[in-house]
Amino acid sequence: MFAVIALTTIVAVGCDDDYNAPEATRSEFKTQYPNAIDVEWERRRGHVIAEFSMPGVSDDCEAWYTKGGKWIMTEYDITYNELPEAVRTAFETSYGVQTPVDDVNRVDHNDGTTDYILEVELVVNGYLTDIFLYYEADGTLMHTAADIENYDYIYYYLD
């Protein structure tokens, strides 16, 4: 019985499905992404996030806003082939074409820049490790991060 109560409490605390974003944020989002579908709102680390799909662009997108409704960035899941050629070349030159790529994201920032994040699996000190590689559109590697328990790579942009 205790386990059922504990699990129910964890699920209830972890989910914020009923979150209703402030009207200013919702309005800004609708202006930026009029074709967005399946929009769900949540709060994470003091930010307001719209999770949505954009037909013809990406089925998995997140637009990040401040509490006051100012847009910070939008992250899109993309395919490896959608990466700029300079990013693919830089990655393949450094890591080889056989390195498994688990996930690829494009991040558009409010300053007009776009970065790309590749999540790859590498063996580090004998352990299979997820590594996040942050590239500028010109192929410059800006930052790397290893997967650490409870680490969410997108917060790198919020520092």
Side-chain angles (χ1 to χ4, degrees), residues 94-114:
S94 296
Y95 293 91
V97 295
Q98 299 301 319
T99 301
V101 177
D102 287 343
D103 198 21
V104 180
N105 298 95
R106 182 184 90 215
V107 181
D108 296 339
H109 300 274
N110 62 2
D111 64 2
T113 60
T114 299

Side-chain angles (χ1 to χ4, degrees), residues 24-44:
T25 306
R26 295 171 86 78
S27 177
E28 176 68 20
F29 175 80
K30 287 177 187 175
T31 300
Q32 284 181 282
Y33 304 102
N35 298 325
I37 59 172
D38 302 326
V39 181
E40 294 181 12
W41 292 92
E42 67 176 64
R43 292 176 291 188
R44 209 179 310 155

Side-chain angles (χ1 to χ4, degrees), residues 24-123:
T25 306
R26 295 171 86 78
S27 177
E28 176 68 20
F29 175 80
K30 287 177 187 175
T31 300
Q32 284 181 282
Y33 304 102
N35 298 325
I37 59 172
D38 302 326
V39 181
E40 294 181 12
W41 292 92
E42 67 176 64
R43 292 176 291 188
R44 209 179 310 155
R45 292 194 180 181
H47 295 88
V48 178
I49 302 151
E51 294 179 347
F52 61 101
S53 295
M54 286 283 292
V57 177
S58 178
D59 290 334
D60 190 5
C61 310
E62 288 187 352
W64 289 65
Y65 297 87
T66 64
K67 287 181 184 177
K70 181 183 175 205
W71 176 67
I72 301 169
M73 65 186 175
T74 301
E75 176 187 17
Y76 304 88
D77 273 2
I78 62 172
T79 66
Y80 184 81
N81 291 332
E82 292 176 289
L83 285 169
E85 186 175 336
V87 174
R88 285 194 317 265
T89 300
F91 170 73
E92 291 170 4
T93 299
S94 296
Y95 293 91
V97 295
Q98 299 301 319
T99 301
V101 177
D102 287 343
D103 198 21
V104 180
N105 298 95
R106 182 184 90 215
V107 181
D108 296 339
H109 300 274
N110 62 2
D111 64 2
T113 60
T114 299
D115 301 327
Y116 298 88
I117 305 168
L118 281 74
E119 179 185 348
V120 300
E121 287 187 346
L122 298 172
V123 176

